[in-house]
Amino acid sequence: DHEVYRALIARADLLIHHGEASRTLLRERYGSVAAAAIVAPHGHFAGYPQGGDRAATRARLGLPADAMVFLHFGLVRGYKGLDLLLDGFAAARVPRKHLLIAGSYAIAPSRQPLAERLRMAWIKRFSRRIHCVFRHVPDDEIRDIMAAAAAVVLAHRQVLNSGVAVLGMSFGKLVVGPDTGCVGPLLATGVNARYGAGDARALAHALERAAAPTRLAAAPGNAAIARDWDWTRNAAAIAAALGLARPAPAPRAPEAA
């Protein structure tokens, strides 16, 4: 992988980082590179359909109407710290807590320890507080899944960028995530809860902080913060870095007399 990345970097005209942590990591691993580089935030997801139905979605998924629902969203992969998520959730002292795991399950049995496979099988069959929706969630269903949740949770042991963090903030959700890579600085811009990556106890404490009513009440402001991560602005910055002129706007048709 190292040589593949080095070959790609050598052929690139422009490197786009989502944060200074990415630029620093690249320099540490590959030294100085000839390609130009810019930092542009991961674009928002404000264009997704909004206004999901919390009550109906919770009823459909078997979630109590008054539950504190934490959402782990997206492809369920080993590197995303499923075991850490379960340990942190179990240790969190949050009244009426429930965990919703929604997304395609993409961990091959050969890569998952037997104990973890048995744990997941038990959870899916018997747990009343952990709810699994192991399938692809289409774009038009995301609003309902987000509406059902009070907060979004990331449990990576190592992570550089996270589209799910941007997605959660785009929907005005408080995001609980590791204070590492570009994710930590991104979460620091809004009403979120960070914790030391790889530490289940720290994750549990972050879940407890996230459940504070004052934080949850302020979290919808994250949507306005996310809207500033504008795709058009990013495109203009990329074009400028490549020395490309922005296309002139199409001429307006003459108005009828």
Side-chain angles (χ1 to χ4, degrees):
D1 287 354
H2 182 88
E3 293 305 318
V4 171
Y5 279 118
R6 184 177 291 281
L8 288 172
I9 291 168
R11 289 164 172 78
D13 295 308
L14 178 67
L15 302 177
I16 304 167
H17 302 277
H18 287 324
E20 288 296 339
S22 175
R23 193 198 295 266
T24 299
L25 180 62
L26 181 76
R27 184 168 55 249
E28 290 174 350
R29 290 193 177 181
Y30 300 101
S32 60
V33 297
I38 63 169
V39 174
H42 189 305
H44 62 68
F45 292 95
Y48 276 27
Q50 305 285 318
D53 190 327
R54 168 173 284 197
T57 305
R58 286 194 172 193
R60 175 167 54 85
L61 297 176
L63 293 161
D66 64 346
M68 174 62 201
V69 179
F70 296 102
L71 169 65
H72 182 75
F73 184 81
L75 283 174
V76 181
R77 295 185 181 275
Y79 74 87
K80 292 187 176 181
L82 181 61
D83 58 329
L84 186 74
L85 172 69
L86 298 176
D87 290 342
F89 177 76
R93 293 177 294 181
V94 176
R96 303 182 306 281
K97 66 180 180 182
H98 283 254
L99 175 63
L100 173 60
I101 305 175
S104 300
Y105 194 79
I107 304 178
S110 60
R111 292 178 177 268
Q112 188 178 28
L114 177 60
E116 190 172 308
R117 278 184 280 159
L118 292 174
R119 184 182 188 183
M120 284 307 304
W122 186 93
I123 286 171
K124 286 189 288 184
R125 186 171 181 84
F126 298 110
S127 178
R128 295 183 179 181
R129 291 188 178 271
I130 302 177
H131 311 258
C132 302
V133 181
F134 287 149
R135 62 173 176 81
H136 170 69
V137 179
D139 290 353
D140 60 356
E141 290 185 29
I142 292 176
R143 59 181 169 183
D144 286 330
I145 295 294
M146 286 288 169
V152 175
V153 186
L154 312 177
H156 304 66
R157 284 185 167 81
Q158 292 182 320
V159 63
L160 183 60
N161 304 297
S162 172
V164 173
V166 177
L167 178 69
M169 290 185 65
S170 296
F171 275 87
K173 298 299 175 181
L174 186 153
V175 179
V176 179
D179 192 9
T180 188
C182 299
V183 173
L186 181 144
L187 297 182
T189 64
V191 181
N192 300 299
R194 295 171 290 165
Y195 65 92
D199 187 335
R201 176 59 60 179
L203 171 54
H205 290 329
L207 294 175
E208 292 165 5
R209 297 196 306 275
T214 53
R215 280 180 176 251
L216 293 175
N222 282 346
I225 294 171
R227 280 195 295 273
D228 194 48
W229 304 328
D230 183 68
W231 291 96
T232 302
R233 191 179 303 135
N234 283 354
I238 293 168
L242 291 172
L244 303 175
R246 295 185 65 181
R252 295 180 60 182
E255 296 181 1

